[in-house]
Amino acid sequence: MPSKSFISLLFLLTFQFAFGQEEAIKKRYQGLDELLGETSFFENHLTGFMLYDLDSQWVMFEKNSHINFIPASTIKLLTFYASLVTLGDSINTFRYVANGDEITIWGTGDPSWGYDILPQPKIKEFLAPYKKINFSDQNWNSTAFGYGWQWDDYYYAYSSERSPFPIFGNLVTISHSNNIPRVSPTLFKNSLSVTDKEMKGIERDFRSNAFYYNPKLYIPKKAAVPFITSPEVFVELASATLQKPIQLVKDVLPQGHKVFRGGNIRPLWSEMLQESDNFIAEQLLMMVSDQILGQMNTERAIDYILKTYLMDLPDRPQWVDGSGLSRHNLATPRSMVDLMVKIEDLLPRNQLMQLLSQGGISGTLKNNYKAPRPYVFAKTGTISNNHSMVGIIRTSRNKFYAFAFMNNNYLNKASEIRREMEKVLVYVRDSF
């Protein structure tokens, strides 16, 4: 039986260890508080921060984690989660009903066809045997632009229109060789005109698919401009691509239809999360809607996901689009952290970290948060005067934390915000 002196010594050592641990935790907390508190850089605008230990499931630090922020492109994590719980690993490219040598197709929102940054589904090969092809958009119940999008973004590549069956990323691409423009798809080759208007690049008329450039000013070697979508434009583009006529019909999607599946969904996830592709994000949300509702309706799909899979978030987000282009989106840091926990429950941590941008290595973090060993794996979001980041941080002790770092209403340059955020995350990396 241990002696009383031994027991007393053991108790003393245990007490000292516990006290030491408590002091270390307190010191780490105070360090973060100094970096984010009243006398810090982050007091000149609205900042929210939350750090959550993924393994012990403890909140290690929070500041304004209950306040709503404009999340910008970090809202894509909600779209990602929605696709994780509804779509599975493969892509539904279109729905169809075949009758002999005639086929009628309905889109599902898949953005892949002709979008050269994505693997291509074998649509032409599948439709080759059919002599008559019909297309219907009667399962489309949405709008080309999201709620709250800025109207004057209409000719920027990051603001492509949404549609039931996208083709070529819903973009016209103009490349230049010896100052001679080449237009793709060729349907629009006669829609490009010279103008005396001061512009450095290619612009489109607001109400039509008329494109302009000024050859006297700087012309980029390659430019992409969204075209105005419509069922008629899709039919023309698809007919030219397939080299066979397509007829526009108004058939309702029947119950007994079949599905043509494209490739794996992971390239869409990777492009959306790493390069922050707005078009893919919007179309992924359309695909979610198609899967759960049998029609493409962003508003109804979001409402369904919030009421079923996300009903237990600490705070219900105001979620209005798939990409985060809208300033009507609102979310709290603690809900974004909770979302990261939910995502990790569905996807192994190492796979999630590979899909997200890695500091100093890939995606929107390629030029920031550089280190010999990557420590930040996250989705960024930036629109004027707002910059946020949500993801996972790996510390020097090989511990993993989910975090949300959200900044709104600042007058600084975004580069200044990122620089100060990096100081905080480096401290977390080295101290936790």
Side-chain angles (χ1 to χ4, degrees):
M1 184 176 180
S3 65
K4 289 183 180 180
S5 58
F6 177 79
I7 294 174
S8 298
L9 178 61
L10 185 61
F11 175 80
L12 179 61
L13 290 173
T14 303
F15 175 80
Q16 289 177 335
F17 176 78
F19 180 76
Q21 288 287 92
E22 184 179 335
E23 283 296 304
I25 293 170
K26 183 178 178 181
K27 185 177 179 180
R28 290 198 296 265
Y29 183 93
Q30 289 174 336
L32 270 180
D33 193 49
E34 289 175 8
L35 288 168
L36 291 163
E38 293 182 0
T39 60
S40 74
F41 168 86
F42 294 98
E43 276 302 294
N44 73 344
H45 61 269
L46 185 62
T47 296
F49 182 77
M50 186 170 181
L51 186 68
Y52 178 84
D53 190 325
L54 285 167
D55 297 314
S56 70
Q57 301 180 8
W58 278 96
V59 175
M60 306 304 293
F61 186 92
E62 69 85 25
K63 174 187 177 178
N64 294 335
S65 68
H66 63 294
I67 292 178
N68 278 295
F69 290 79
I70 297 172
S73 280
T74 61
I75 209 74
K76 290 181 174 77
L77 290 168
L78 286 165
T79 302
F80 175 50
Y81 178 77
S83 66
L84 267 175
V85 296
T86 60
L87 296 180
D89 289 335
S90 62
I91 299 171
N92 294 338
T93 295
F94 60 81
R95 302 181 184 276
Y96 69 94
V97 173
N99 184 12
D101 60 3
E102 180 178 354
I103 187 170
T104 303
I105 61 176
W106 292 259
T108 62
D110 178 15
S112 304
W113 195 17
Y115 197 22
D116 57 11
I117 62 174
L118 295 173
Q120 291 302 295
K122 297 184 181 299
I123 294 176
K124 188 172 184 177
E125 293 84 345
F126 180 81
L127 295 176
Y130 297 98
K131 294 182 179 179
K132 185 177 182 181
I133 303 173
N134 306 312
F135 168 70
S136 174
D137 70 340
Q138 293 303 291
N139 60 336
W140 170 258
N141 187 17
S142 201
T143 56
F145 293 101
Y147 173 57
W149 287 13
Q150 292 190 189
W151 71 268
D152 54 349
D153 283 347
Y154 72 92
Y155 63 83
Y156 290 107
Y158 60 76
S159 194
S160 292
E161 293 190 5
R162 309 183 298 193
S163 68
F165 203 149
I167 186 167
F168 302 115
N170 290 346
L171 293 168
V172 174
T173 302
I174 297 99
S175 56
H176 289 79
S177 178
N178 297 322
N179 215 33
I180 300 172
R182 289 177 173 81
V183 181
S184 177
T186 56
L187 174 68
F188 298 105
K189 68 179 181 180
N190 295 323
S191 301
L192 181 65
S193 304
V194 172
T195 182
D196 291 329
K197 180 182 175 182
E198 288 193 16
M199 60 174 68
K200 294 183 179 180
I202 312 293
E203 292 187 12
R204 196 200 78 215
D205 180 68
F206 182 55
R207 294 181 177 85
S208 70
N209 282 322
F211 301 85
Y212 302 93
Y213 75 105
N214 187 335
K216 297 177 182 179
L217 299 178
Y218 168 74
I219 302 174
K221 289 184 178 179
K222 189 174 183 180
V225 183
F227 59 79
I228 297 175
T229 60
S230 69
E232 292 78 14
V233 168
F234 168 77
V235 164
E236 284 192 77
L237 289 170
S239 296
T241 302
L242 297 173
Q243 298 180 321
K244 58 173 62 180
I246 298 177
Q247 183 178 347
L248 183 61
V249 298
K250 296 296 181 182
D251 295 3
V252 175
L253 181 66
Q255 290 289 332
H257 65 270
K258 295 182 179 179
V259 178
F260 173 75
R261 298 186 183 278
N264 192 285
I265 200 170
R266 285 178 181 262
L268 275 69
W269 287 342
S270 180
E271 196 70 26
M272 176 182 69
L273 294 175
Q274 292 191 23
E275 302 303 329
S276 205
D277 191 296
N278 295 321
F279 176 64
I280 291 176
E282 294 296 336
Q283 295 299 143
L284 264 175
L285 194 54
M286 292 297 174
M287 293 165 66
V288 169
S289 181
D290 166 78
Q291 179 69 22
I292 61 180
L293 302 174
Q295 62 174 281
M296 283 165 276
N297 184 305
T298 296
E299 185 178 344
R300 286 189 59 197
I302 287 173
D303 187 60
Y304 178 88
I305 296 296
L306 288 175
K307 287 180 177 177
T308 53
Y309 298 101
L310 296 174
M311 61 184 294
D312 56 346
L313 288 179
D315 311 288
R316 181 185 171 103
Q318 182 169 290
W319 177 20
V320 303
D321 68 7
S323 62
L325 279 171
S326 176
R327 289 174 181 263
H328 291 293
N329 290 303
L330 292 171
T332 64
R334 65 187 182 187
S335 282
M336 296 304 285
V337 165
D338 200 66
L339 177 66
M340 287 301 300
V341 174
K342 286 179 176 292
I343 292 172
E344 199 192 42
D345 286 342
L346 297 172
L347 201 64
R349 184 179 297 169
N350 64 326
Q351 292 185 31
L352 174 57
M353 290 163 64
Q354 289 171 5
L355 282 171
L356 293 168
S357 293
Q358 299 182 39
I361 292 181
S362 62
T364 57
L365 292 178
K366 186 175 182 178
N367 297 318
N368 302 103
Y369 306 97
K370 295 179 180 180
R373 185 190 188 206
Y375 67 100
V376 174
F377 309 82
K379 179 74 199 76
T380 61
T382 307
I383 53 179
S384 299
N385 312 109
N386 300 277
H387 178 70
S388 295
M389 187 160 60
V390 177
I392 294 173
I393 184 167
R394 176 172 58 193
T395 72
S396 301
R397 295 175 175 82
N398 212 38
K399 290 181 66 65
F400 295 87
Y401 296 86
F403 74 94
F405 203 161
M406 311 183 82
N407 296 274
N408 282 184
N409 305 327
Y410 54 79
L411 296 177
N412 308 75
K413 295 179 180 179
S415 58
E416 294 178 62
I417 300 294
R418 285 192 291 267
R419 185 180 65 239
E420 296 300 321
M421 288 171 67
E422 185 171 7
K423 293 177 183 178
V424 175
L425 295 183
V426 165
Y427 178 84
V428 171
R429 180 196 66 186
D430 295 340
S431 304
F432 281 79

